[in-house]
Amino acid sequence: RKEVEQDPGPFNVPEGATVAFNCTYSNSASQSFFWYRQDCRKEPKLLMSVYSSGNEDGRFTAQLNRASQYISLLIRDSKLSDSATYLCVVNALGNFNKFYFGSGTKLNVKP
Amino acid sequence: DAGVIQSPRHEVTEMGQEVTLRCKPISGHDYLFWYRQTMMRGLELLIYFNNNVPIDDSGMPEDRFSAKMPNASFSTLKIQPSEPRDSAVYFCASGSGDAFFGQGTRLTVV
């Protein structure tokens, strides 16, 4: 079983829509969670960390559900510029600094 | 800060040749990571260092791959001999509890 699993998508949504992605992880002891964004032929960039209590950054909200071992990313009022692949990241068992990346969920925001 | 700097950005080489990829991490970061990304396998962690010391190289595919970090501001990933299946984008990242990526080296082995 992969350490991190994501729906590859693509999610095709109109501008202004709200879209949510989930990501499941296999290690119940994981402590560090992140969402990264990767544009085509570019490097992954840190979008936001995910905290136990959930956190928000503008139009982006991240949630952690430890009981079900998943994290989520909600994007409100989506923009054309949000089109990218979103990568879920979880730390390895017993190692806060070894990160596993999901294969990514592709988002296409259409005019 | 200039961010993580990788060189070269693109490399095309013939099978059997030695390839060396270079990375300058962000100053002050105590962790350095090498990742490989392909369409089939996504982003895979090859090896990472803490304070210049290799901590986990379990992701290095085979003995043809080696990585060094002689000081806090420089690391190399070497493939010798290279094979067509090594074609991928190789990312270096650095961080302290997180990871910031360089722009990557797109390697093509023909």
Side-chain angles (χ1 to χ4, degrees):
Chain A
R1 183 184 173 187
K2 288 185 180 179
E3 290 85 3
V4 183
E5 303 214 46
Q6 295 183 251
D7 180 345
F11 285 56
N12 298 306
V13 303
E15 264 187 300
T18 295
V19 61
F21 313 130
N22 281 347
C23 156
T24 58
Y25 60 94
S26 60
N27 173 18
S28 60
S30 291
Q31 294 292 326
S32 301
F33 308 90
F34 306 92
W35 282 102
Y36 277 70
R37 170 198 169 122
Q38 185 171 26
D39 292 286
C40 187
R41 301 179 76 84
K42 299 286 190 180
E43 74 275 21
K45 292 186 177 176
L46 178 62
L47 180 65
M48 58 196 305
S49 302
V50 185
Y51 303 123
S52 296
S53 55
N55 49 300
E56 189 174 304
D57 182 1
R59 298 182 293 108
F60 298 83
T61 299
Q63 296 278 356
L64 168 63
N65 184 315
R66 286 193 181 277
S68 300
Q69 293 181 216
Y70 74 84
I71 65 173
S72 63
L73 178 68
L74 180 79
I75 305 175
R76 289 181 297 278
D77 187 23
S78 52
K79 312 290 185 191
L80 295 177
S81 57
D82 294 334
S83 297
T85 296
Y86 292 83
L87 305 166
C88 168
V89 183
V90 176
N91 73 288
L93 175 65
N95 191 328
F96 294 135
N97 287 285
K98 181 175 181 178
F99 303 117
Y100 290 116
F101 281 72
S103 53
T105 297
K106 186 165 176 57
L107 171 66
N108 295 317
V109 181
K110 309 285 189 182
Chain B
D1 197 320
V4 176
I5 299 173
Q6 290 186 246
S7 64
R9 293 289 308 279
H10 302 273
E11 176 83 27
V12 180
T13 191
E14 290 185 347
M15 186 173 77
Q17 296 298 305
E18 177 180 294
V19 175
T20 299
L21 311 181
R22 297 174 175 79
C23 175
K24 176 178 167 54
I26 294 171
S27 176
H29 283 176
D30 50 2
Y31 284 84
L32 183 140
F33 309 88
W34 282 101
Y35 284 88
R36 176 172 71 176
Q37 188 173 38
T38 61
M39 287 293 292
M40 290 296 294
R41 301 175 67 91
L43 203 55
E44 303 173 279
L45 177 64
L46 301 178
I47 184 172
Y48 75 96
F49 298 81
N50 176 217
N51 293 323
N52 313 340
V53 177
I55 301 300
D56 186 334
D57 65 355
S58 59
M60 295 285 262
E62 48 197 272
D63 291 347
R64 297 184 298 107
F65 286 69
S66 63
K68 293 182 180 179
M69 190 168 186
N71 57 61
S73 58
F74 184 66
S75 177
T76 59
L77 177 68
K78 187 176 292 189
I79 308 173
Q80 166 62 22
S82 57
E83 297 182 2
R85 61 196 168 114
D86 301 331
S87 298
V89 181
Y90 290 81
F91 288 108
C92 174
S94 70
S96 296
D98 46 24
F100 293 87
F101 283 74
Q103 293 182 298
T105 295
R106 187 170 297 274
L107 174 65
T108 304
V109 183
V110 298

